[in-house]
Amino acid sequence: MSTAWTSRYALRTKGITSSAIRDLLKITQRPGMISFAGGLPAPEVFPAERFEESCHKVLTQNAASALQYGATEGYEPLRELIANNMARYGIKAKVENVLMTSGSQQALDLIAKLFINRGDRVLVEAPTYLGALQAFDVYGADYVSVPVDENGLCTELLEAPLRSGPTFMYVLPNFQNPAGVTLSEGRRHELVLLADRYGIPIVEDDPYGQLRYEGEHLPPLVVLDRENLCRDNGYSIGNVIYLSTFSKTLAPGLRLGWIVAPPDVIAKLAQLKQGADLHTSTFTQFVAYEVARDGFLDKHVKLIRQVYSERRDVMLQALQEHFPPSVTWTHPQGGLFLWVTLPEGLDIKAVLNSALEQNVAFVPGDSFYANDGREGSRHMRLNFSNAQPEQIREGIRRLATAVKHHLAMGQEMPIGV
Ligand SMILES: Cc1ncc(COP(=O)(O)O)c(C=O)c1O
């Protein structure tokens, strides 16, 4: 007799589905498809040669340690390098404030594991990063959503949601995924003050902060929190846990991210990480350290900024050229995404079907909302980092054809993807 596996799954897996983006990514592998759907970095800028040299160096000079089990907190020289890099952005973390994770996706999972009891409310942005919702869902999170506008999270709408006692706020201050918007400096100050007033921690997710193409760098929340709110000189108080990753600055295949938090929180997260994977790959951490050291990471980030800012500009220009005036979009100052708003009444799933027929893909906005996906039904998330400029021009032309077709037809029923 065969086992009825589904009836044996734990209750916490109920309602967990595959990410719409990961499913869509399978379709985008089709030949001839121009995909603005994934959040993929440009493979042309992966520093493959530097990786090759670094792997060689690690294996010839340090194989005994690099191939061995390692500390759960991570490889100390790498944690130190990260702490030194972050210091330039004003984040005064010490090694003991840094926990290496298997991508910042694992950081989100560990944070959820640590803080969320079934039925607890998490305050999220609307729209927000889909992968965070996936991580929080498993632990039975409920959500309170607060909208973002062109200046990021609408802090003036926060008081009532904060009074409802969320476990933490999950915030993406820089070039938000999916909307591409940035939290203004004024709102950053307001946010940390509100967090302090209501005693609600902030999880600050910052994978894109270094990828700024215009404007001034803005202080991370974790910095403002320390400056404004620290009641003694230690780092062990404060309301912000900060996350970042090498996925967008070196390579996502490394699966290397990190958490910055007070040492007692790091110690608890490390215990949870032991149950998940003992530690992040030692070999990968040794290699990443060799790749990043001696100023290479800085030089490389400069190159990435150059390549992506050109692609962003090409996409903005193509949108301007091909889309009708009733369609609007955000102007991201950095990161990988922009967010397009279509006129009321269009069915985004039907637009996606037509776009896929034209061999161009985007992610429909409804995937990025915690409570009511209908809010996203007029939006598309477009990624500009992964396609070459020529493909971007052609892809936007095709997408505009699909959108104009639906605008001409008026409202229709979804036909499913
Ligand atoms: C906002 C945000 N957080 C976390 C992640 C996960 O990144 P990582 O590759 O480090 O797991 C992503 C990936 O796109 C992201 O956009």
Side-chain angles (χ1 to χ4, degrees), residues 217-337:
H217 172 75
L218 296 177
L221 301 173
V222 68
V223 171
L224 296 180
D225 184 51
R226 274 176 55 68
E227 277 178 8
N228 290 347
L229 307 174
C230 238
R231 277 149 290 203
D232 70 27
N233 290 328
Y235 186 72
S236 65
I237 55 169
N239 285 313
V240 183
I241 292 177
Y242 176 90
L243 319 179
S244 195
T245 175
F246 285 123
S247 285
K248 317 296 174 177
T249 53
L250 282 179
L254 279 174
R255 309 307 305 128
L256 270 187
W258 61 91
I259 304 177
V260 177
D264 41 344
V265 179
I266 293 289
K268 201 71 200 163
L269 287 165
Q271 289 169 13
L272 298 175
K273 185 170 162 63
Q274 284 167 15
D277 62 358
L278 301 183
H279 60 79
T280 294
S281 158
T282 327
F283 180 64
T284 304
Q285 293 184 73
F286 272 65
V287 171
Y289 172 70
E290 281 304 326
V291 170
R293 67 186 292 179
D294 299 333
F296 178 85
L297 184 61
D298 291 340
K299 270 192 282 171
H300 189 63
V301 165
K302 263 192 204 147
L303 169 76
I304 294 177
R305 282 193 203 122
Q306 218 178 319
V307 172
Y308 292 180
S309 70
E310 186 201 346
R311 291 180 185 196
R312 177 202 62 168
D313 293 346
V314 167
M315 186 172 274
L316 288 169
Q317 166 98 42
L319 285 165
Q320 191 70 40
E321 245 167 64
H322 296 291
F323 273 62
S326 55
V327 178
T328 59
W329 49 87
T330 54
H331 181 112
Q333 296 171 355
L336 308 191
F337 305 105

Side-chain angles (χ1 to χ4, degrees), residues 36-211:
F36 303 133
L40 308 186
E44 308 86 87
V45 296
F46 290 156
E49 245 174 62
R50 176 87 176 176
F51 269 97
E52 194 180 337
E53 289 159 17
S54 302
C55 284
H56 182 74
K57 193 165 169 202
V58 165
L59 289 174
T60 49
Q61 297 180 6
N62 237 334
S65 310
L67 299 177
Q68 189 55 277
Y69 284 115
T72 301
E73 290 77 6
Y75 178 44
E76 194 157 326
L78 182 63
R79 294 162 72 206
E80 206 171 299
L81 182 143
I82 288 169
N84 290 338
N85 278 353
M86 289 189 306
R88 289 179 296 167
Y89 292 91
I91 303 173
K92 293 179 191 128
K94 300 199 179 79
V95 171
E96 57 269 28
N97 298 118
V98 180
L99 171 69
M100 297 307 303
T101 55
S102 302
S104 40
Q105 190 63 36
Q106 186 186 44
L108 292 169
D109 179 67
L110 295 175
I111 284 167
K113 210 183 231 180
L114 181 57
F115 292 111
I116 301 175
N117 288 311
R118 179 155 290 281
D120 279 355
R121 229 168 284 127
V122 178
L123 191 151
V124 294
E125 299 173 323
T128 190
Y129 171 53
L130 171 63
L133 298 177
Q134 280 193 296
F136 303 161
D137 281 349
V138 177
Y139 298 93
D142 281 340
Y143 298 98
V144 51
S145 299
V146 177
V148 300
D149 63 17
E150 64 279 8
N151 291 312
L153 181 66
C154 296
T155 44
E156 72 278 13
L157 303 177
L158 269 176
E159 297 231 17
L162 285 176
R163 259 185 250 122
S164 74
T167 302
F168 60 82
M169 299 185 249
Y170 172 67
V171 183
L172 303 147
N174 292 317
F175 332 122
Q176 201 240 26
N177 178 5
V181 294
T182 295
L183 190 63
S184 68
E185 187 157 2
R187 285 187 180 178
R188 288 176 192 234
H189 284 280
E190 235 168 284
L191 184 55
V192 289
L193 286 172
L194 283 167
D196 191 51
R197 188 176 310 149
Y198 288 92
I200 309 290
I202 297 172
V203 175
E204 176 177 24
D205 191 1
D206 188 26
Y208 306 107
Q210 289 191 68
L211 304 184

Side-chain angles (χ1 to χ4, degrees), residues 365-376:
D366 51 356
S367 308
F368 302 101
Y369 289 81
N371 291 326
D372 186 358
R374 274 174 304 178
E375 286 178 72

